[in-house]
Amino acid sequence: MSSEVAGTAERSTYDARVAVGASGTFAALNLAGVLDAADIRVAQRVGALGEETDQSVLLAVALAVRAVRLGSVGVDLRRVCEIALPDGVVLPDAAEWVAAVEASPLTAAGVIHHELDLVSLDRYHRLERQVADDLLTRMAADAPAVDADVLATTRQRVAGPHFSDEQGSAVDHAVRHRTTVLTGGPGTGKTTTVARIVVALADQFAAEQVRRQGGEPVAGGRHFSVALAAPTGKAATRLQEAVNAELTALGIDSADAGRPEASTLHRLLGWRPDNTTRFVHDRSYRLKQDLIVVDEASMVDLTLMARLLEAVRPETRLVLVGDPGQLTSVGAGAVLSDLVAGFADHADSPVVALQHNHRSTEEIKALAQALRDGDPDEVLAVLRRGSAEVEYVETDDPAAVLRPACTAAAVRVHAAATGEGAPTARAAAALEALEGFRLLCAHRQGPYGVRHWNRQVETWLAEELGQPLGGVYYPGRPLLVTANDYTLDVYNGETGVVVLDDDGRRRAWIAGVGAPRAFAPGRLDAIDTMHAMTIHKSQGSQAETVTVLLPDADSRLLTRELFYTAVTRAKSRLRVVGSEEAVRAAVATTAQRATSLRQRLHPR
């Protein structure tokens, strides 16, 4: 069952999402929670501007707007019947409905499109076509020149006991092709492979420079340039640290590998204060790097992928790295999974999958594999085996289970933030303590939501300390950035902690790319407490110990991808709190999105 078509809840007429004045099918679908007021208002406005009065066409537009809001790029009118509809609502016959859309003046004007079974708004139709065209153009271009002897030498130089043949094949592919989509689950060595791709391409670049200069290296020539990027600051920081650690382990100076630096994708592309969907770099002003690596590609939505592809030079190597089993992006599209599916039949597919798991966390690996396989019995079997790695708790009182671990984690962070040493040392210690434990929830609101549990942990912490916390920005408060602030260079997904300064003032230390930075709390706008966080927000990060609180089995957010993402955030220990019904519901429900990118990528 798709999570998008899960049941809806009746709305009060006092709800802000109710479209006052709507009638007929629109009103019924609105009050049932299928359509929001915004969906209806957009459809009505588009109809007025395009002189379309056919209510079935306007309903299709409203459903297309709804689809984008829920992460799809369009709506398949033949599958609308899968939505939980209120009693008495009768939708048009699918064939007649499609015919009305295709004959509409809105379609003639290019405001909406019906193609590959989807009705989509023009913007998302164009974005999907652009992404497909740009990728297929990159694949059709002449292969880059490769010095096979240099590549063989590099392979020997970066080989080691933990570097597998499949990782070596991935390095070869990235050297011999302009575009590589590197996929794999946790522990399969994606970052290890990325570091060696960086080295291999730096060696190729150096050899080419020598060849062009008649066999002699020339001082002061152009240097190999690398950009490491990710959708969030936290993911970018992890990528930077992991690649640098691998280079150090290989005995390779960062300068000899292009000095790879990480940033968020938004920062790489260049923020424009006058435009929230366009960037400084585009087709007229391309990115200069010779290699661009994008980690956590499953989090990249359709719009951002389109902006990236139009900014990459044709000759630049592009490596997209991610796990297609994880949650898709918050924005519309399911780009990484579409690339994997769409390129499956290509003779020279850019997708390189890493299968072998190198981590020692056998039980966490087994649970993740059972989730990927969609086997609820095996998932429950792994959970119930019980081990030092995986614990399963079925309880009607999650507070009793969660209090000891959550309180202990909060106390550790508070103690570090108020301890001895310079503020920078306290901040580093508090941030390190913060990475030791994470409570993950599916929801933001309600009894299983992060807001409830953030308040609960703060209550427990105050009781443990024997004193009030002392205001909103209390020492040791864990922070989560929830929106990009380009002026401060602080990005969505970055984490931080409140630390006492030497003079007793409180500072919010944010761990972005590079060293943590201190801010006066009043300068930060979009900040949440992070004793608990949503599973969506946890993407791109990990913690030593993770506790996952599953909601009721009927939660519309409970999907296999959500559960898998939560499980794979744990480095060494995982605790799952929830009912058997919730586990089975999660495994059985896939977060399907209506897209057409994969069809556009099929061989033509």
Side-chain angles (χ1 to χ4, degrees):
M1 183 179 81
S2 167
S3 64
E4 182 186 333
V5 297
T8 56
E10 290 288 340
R11 291 177 177 170
S12 163
T13 54
Y14 298 101
D15 193 321
R17 295 168 295 176
V18 170
V20 178
S23 61
T25 300
F26 283 104
L29 294 179
N30 179 225
L31 289 176
V34 176
L35 294 176
D36 271 1
D39 305 331
I40 296 172
R41 298 304 182 216
V42 169
Q44 291 173 335
R45 184 59 177 161
V46 167
L49 292 174
E51 298 182 345
E52 175 59 84
T53 59
D54 187 326
Q55 293 300 296
S56 70
V57 175
L58 298 184
L59 179 58
V61 175
L63 289 169
V65 176
R66 170 189 183 270
V68 172
R69 177 165 55 81
L70 296 179
S72 294
V73 298
V75 60
D76 186 342
L77 298 181
R78 299 170 308 172
R79 298 189 60 191
V80 172
C81 60
E82 296 179 13
I83 299 174
L85 299 173
D87 293 339
V89 172
V90 178
L91 297 176
D93 173 77
E96 294 177 358
W97 202 357
V98 167
V101 168
E102 291 181 339
S104 170
L106 297 179
T107 301
V111 176
I112 60 174
H113 299 265
H114 181 256
E115 186 178 349
L116 297 174
D117 298 326
L118 291 186
V119 175
S120 56
L121 305 178
D122 181 58
R123 176 189 174 188
Y124 295 94
H125 179 262
R126 286 186 288 108
L127 285 172
E128 277 205 326
R129 291 189 60 179
Q130 178 199 320
V131 168
D133 290 345
D134 283 346
L135 285 170
L136 293 172
T137 298
R138 289 181 62 83
M139 291 180 61
D142 292 339
V146 175
D147 189 319
D149 292 337
V150 170
L151 178 57
T153 301
T154 303
R155 283 283 302 271
Q156 291 180 343
R157 187 157 67 107
V158 301
H162 302 296
F163 189 61
S164 64
D165 289 341
E166 66 177 10
Q167 289 173 304
S169 297
V171 172
D172 284 355
H173 186 281
V175 171
R176 297 181 182 279
H177 297 79
R178 302 290 184 192
T179 306
T180 300
V181 181
L182 181 64
T183 68
T188 53
K190 296 189 294 295
T191 308
T192 298
T193 306
V194 166
R196 285 156 172 81
I197 289 172
V198 171
V199 174
L201 287 172
D203 288 351
Q204 290 289 317
F205 181 88
E208 176 63 13
Q209 293 294 97
V210 169
R211 186 188 66 78
R212 289 184 176 182
Q213 300 299 331
E216 295 293 333
V218 177
R222 191 171 79 83
H223 297 288
F224 181 64
S225 177
V226 184
L228 306 177
T232 68
K234 189 67 176 178
T237 300
R238 285 183 58 228
L239 179 62
Q240 173 94 61
E241 293 172 347
V243 169
N244 285 342
E246 286 292 334
L247 294 177
T248 299
L250 291 170
I252 295 173
D253 191 321
S254 175
D256 296 331
R259 298 187 186 278
E261 293 187 0
S263 69
T264 64
L265 268 172
H266 289 81
R267 185 179 181 187
L268 174 67
L269 293 171
W271 170 63
R272 284 177 52 178
D274 63 325
N275 196 313
T276 58
T277 62
R278 290 285 180 177
F279 297 90
V280 170
H281 292 285
D282 55 21
R283 293 193 198 280
S284 63
Y285 182 39
R286 307 262 192 171
L287 292 162
K288 65 179 181 179
Q289 285 82 5
D290 301 293
L291 168 64
I292 296 174
V293 178
V294 179
D295 198 12
E296 298 292 348
S298 64
M299 300 170 64
V300 181
D301 65 20
L302 181 63
T303 300
L304 192 53
M305 184 61 72
R307 300 298 173 248
L308 171 66
L309 290 172
E310 69 185 14
V312 176
R313 293 182 300 148
E315 62 271 24
T316 293
R317 300 301 208 292
L318 175 64
V319 180
L320 304 175
V321 185
D323 183 350
Q326 287 188 22
L327 284 166
T328 49
S329 58
V330 174
V335 178
L336 181 62
S337 58
D338 279 349
L339 297 190
V340 173
F343 283 126
D345 297 328
H346 278 254
D348 191 18
S349 171
V351 179
V352 181
L354 300 180
Q355 306 285 348
H356 180 68
N357 197 309
H358 300 270
R359 288 185 187 168
S360 58
T361 51
E362 294 299 327
E363 291 299 307
I364 295 176
K365 285 161 43 178
L367 181 58
Q369 184 59 54
L371 282 166
R372 282 196 297 269
D373 293 342
D375 186 340
D377 292 331
E378 180 61 19
V379 168
L380 284 164
V382 175
L383 286 171
R384 286 172 170 157
R385 272 204 296 265
S387 69
E389 294 176 27
V390 176
E391 178 186 1
Y392 180 42
V393 181
E394 297 181 76
T395 179
D396 295 327
D397 185 13
V401 175
L402 298 179
R403 177 165 185 164
C406 290
T407 304
V411 168
R412 283 194 296 271
V413 176
H414 181 273
T418 57
E420 300 297 326
T424 52
R426 290 199 292 273
L431 289 167
E432 182 179 0
L434 195 60
E435 298 306 306
F437 176 81
R438 195 79 80 236
L439 171 61
L440 301 182
C441 306
H443 293 267
R444 288 185 56 81
Q445 308 286 354
Y448 297 96
V450 294
R451 293 202 172 177
H452 168 80
W453 290 102
N454 275 325
R455 290 192 299 268
Q456 185 65 74
V457 175
E458 287 178 336
T459 300
W460 293 335
L461 176 60
E463 291 174 356
E464 185 72 19
L465 298 176
Q467 61 187 24
L469 296 180
V472 175
Y473 282 93
Y474 54 87
R477 178 192 175 194
L479 305 173
L480 176 67
V481 179
T482 59
N484 296 329
D485 188 327
Y486 300 99
T487 303
L488 296 181
D489 202 20
V490 171
Y491 296 93
N492 184 19
E494 292 180 342
T495 57
V497 67
V498 177
V499 175
L500 282 179
D501 228 338
D502 286 336
D503 57 7
R505 291 183 299 175
R506 300 170 186 194
R507 290 287 181 267
W509 286 78
I510 302 299
V513 179
R517 294 176 296 144
F519 298 91
R523 297 187 66 194
L524 297 172
D525 183 25
I527 292 289
D528 276 351
T529 302
M530 202 189 70
H531 291 298
M533 70 188 306
T534 63
I535 297 169
H536 277 86
K537 286 290 186 182
S538 74
Q539 284 188 275
S541 66
Q542 286 188 305
E544 289 298 329
T545 299
V546 168
T547 293
V548 181
L549 179 60
L550 295 178
D552 286 334
D554 60 358
S555 167
R556 69 177 185 85
L557 296 182
L558 193 56
T559 65
R560 187 186 309 167
E561 292 82 0
L562 185 91
F563 196 6
Y564 175 84
T565 299
V567 165
T568 55
R569 299 311 90 201
K571 286 184 179 180
S572 58
R573 190 163 188 271
L574 172 74
R575 172 190 283 173
V576 177
V577 180
S579 67
E580 176 179 338
E581 292 76 16
V583 172
R584 289 188 178 277
V587 178
T589 307
T590 56
Q592 298 169 357
R593 290 188 170 185
T595 68
S596 59
L597 178 59
R598 63 184 63 189
Q599 293 96 315
R600 297 180 189 279
L601 294 173
H602 274 285
R604 299 174 180 177

